[in-house]
Amino acid sequence: MKTKLMAHLVANYPDEKTAFTVAESLVKGGADILEIQLPFSDPNADGPAIQNACSFTLEKGYKTQDALNFIKKVHEAFPQTTIYIMSYGSLVFTPGVEEFARKAAECGVKGLIIPDLPFDCDEGLTAACKKYGMENIPVAAFGMSDQRLSKMTKCGFEHIYAALRSGITGTETSIEQSTLDFIKKVSAGGAKVYGGFGIQNGEQSKVLSPYVDAVVAGSVFVRIITESTCSNSCEGGKAGTEQLSVLSEKIISKARELTHTEQTVGSAS
């Protein structure tokens, strides 16, 4: 049985062409949702892999509008794939929450994940999302008190992102009974749960899949991108055709591992 996957990537990392190849490969590999992060200088929920990707992208001069342009391109190429923006409050608040939501919706985005805008003090994010046909997807932290978590679950959110352990992304997460108990609490109000933080292999996603609407994986893909391209593009060049082909195969393979889908002849071409 296929596992539903939300795959995370950083917009334009390490360059536009490579990032688009990654998005395309994730879709080919079976990703149902693309969670595209806007590069940010202080991504406090992210581990080293994503932090470094954000820093590298910003150093190349990419701006928020460049990321939105990239997202629009991905949406136009794969209109059947749900796209969420993952970002931080500063990038949303600077142009104005409603203006940001409007621009995101125009790019084909279906939801916003903003970890540092609390569900009960979101600067109007939920209302702006509803106005423009999107959803605000709040983040439930593993260390939240039961009282606060219960309050979140009663707010009528369609989806809640469950961070399956404390700390930052990237290090491996063990799926234990406490993890499943946490997911049960997050879903108590009827919201569907996206579960992630440190999902790296098919064994983890298989265990987690029955309890969530989608398994979330991010750092594992960012590391593949870095390892496959930094010998070239991270020195200021561009990934060549052969390099992109190898990267694509690795991304597709990992996505298929996480979704438990079989490769068919010619599907990666």
Side-chain angles (χ1 to χ4, degrees):
M1 182 176 177
K2 181 183 183 297
T3 295
K4 188 174 180 181
L5 174 65
M6 182 197 296
H8 180 107
L9 66 155
V10 176
N12 294 319
Y13 175 71
D15 56 69
E16 296 172 67
K17 183 178 180 180
T18 304
F20 185 83
T21 297
V22 170
E24 179 181 41
S25 302
L26 288 168
V27 173
K28 286 183 177 180
D32 304 273
I33 304 165
L34 296 180
E35 179 192 16
I36 303 180
Q37 179 166 347
L38 305 186
F40 185 60
S41 58
D42 187 23
N44 52 36
D46 299 313
I50 294 177
Q51 287 184 27
N52 291 338
C54 286
S55 296
F56 179 78
T57 306
L58 292 171
E59 287 170 3
K60 293 185 73 172
Y62 285 107
K63 307 296 184 184
T64 297
Q65 187 58 52
D66 297 314
L68 293 175
N69 293 342
F70 170 78
I71 290 168
K72 183 176 182 180
K73 180 180 178 181
V74 173
H75 169 67
E76 290 174 346
F78 311 105
Q80 78 284 1
T81 301
T82 299
I83 296 177
Y84 296 147
I85 281 179
M86 183 266 165
S87 187
Y88 290 91
S90 177
L91 296 184
V92 177
F93 190 76
T94 297
V97 174
E98 185 169 325
E99 176 66 7
F100 182 91
R102 181 187 67 79
K103 288 183 176 182
E106 288 178 351
C107 295
V109 173
K110 296 300 183 184
L112 301 181
I113 302 170
I114 315 296
D116 57 348
L117 279 183
F119 71 95
D120 52 355
C121 188
D122 69 2
E123 303 292 344
L125 182 65
T126 299
C129 284
K130 288 181 178 179
K131 179 176 180 178
Y132 292 104
M134 300 184 296
E135 60 173 312
N136 175 28
I137 303 168
V139 177
F142 190 79
M144 289 178 75
S145 68
D146 287 347
Q147 181 180 9
R148 183 161 178 76
L149 184 56
S150 177
K151 183 179 178 182
M152 175 188 282
T153 65
K154 294 174 182 177
C155 289
F157 293 109
E158 181 179 351
H159 291 93
I160 296 176
Y161 185 124
L164 300 180
R165 57 169 171 73
S166 300
I168 56 177
T169 63
T171 55
E172 188 168 353
T173 296
S174 298
I175 311 301
E176 301 172 348
Q177 187 58 49
S178 59
T179 311
L180 304 182
D181 291 342
F182 174 61
I183 293 171
K184 185 176 181 179
K185 291 177 184 179
V186 175
S187 63
K192 297 177 181 178
V193 178
Y194 295 137
F197 254 51
I199 303 302
Q200 300 181 31
N201 57 60
E203 183 178 348
Q204 289 173 299
S205 66
K206 187 175 184 178
V207 172
L208 186 58
S209 179
Y211 303 95
V212 297
D213 188 50
V215 173
V216 185
S219 293
V220 63
F221 292 116
V222 175
R223 281 194 291 269
I224 291 172
I225 297 166
T226 300
E227 292 166 0
S228 300
T229 64
C230 267
S231 61
N232 187 335
S233 58
C234 288
E235 294 176 358
K238 296 289 183 180
T241 301
E242 183 176 351
Q243 194 175 26
L244 287 177
S245 179
V246 172
L247 171 61
S248 178
E249 289 176 4
K250 290 180 179 179
I251 294 291
I252 291 171
S253 177
K254 178 56 69 172
R256 287 189 173 134
E257 177 190 338
L258 293 169
T259 57
H260 306 99
T261 55
E262 296 294 329
Q263 180 172 351
T264 57
V265 176
S267 63
S269 60

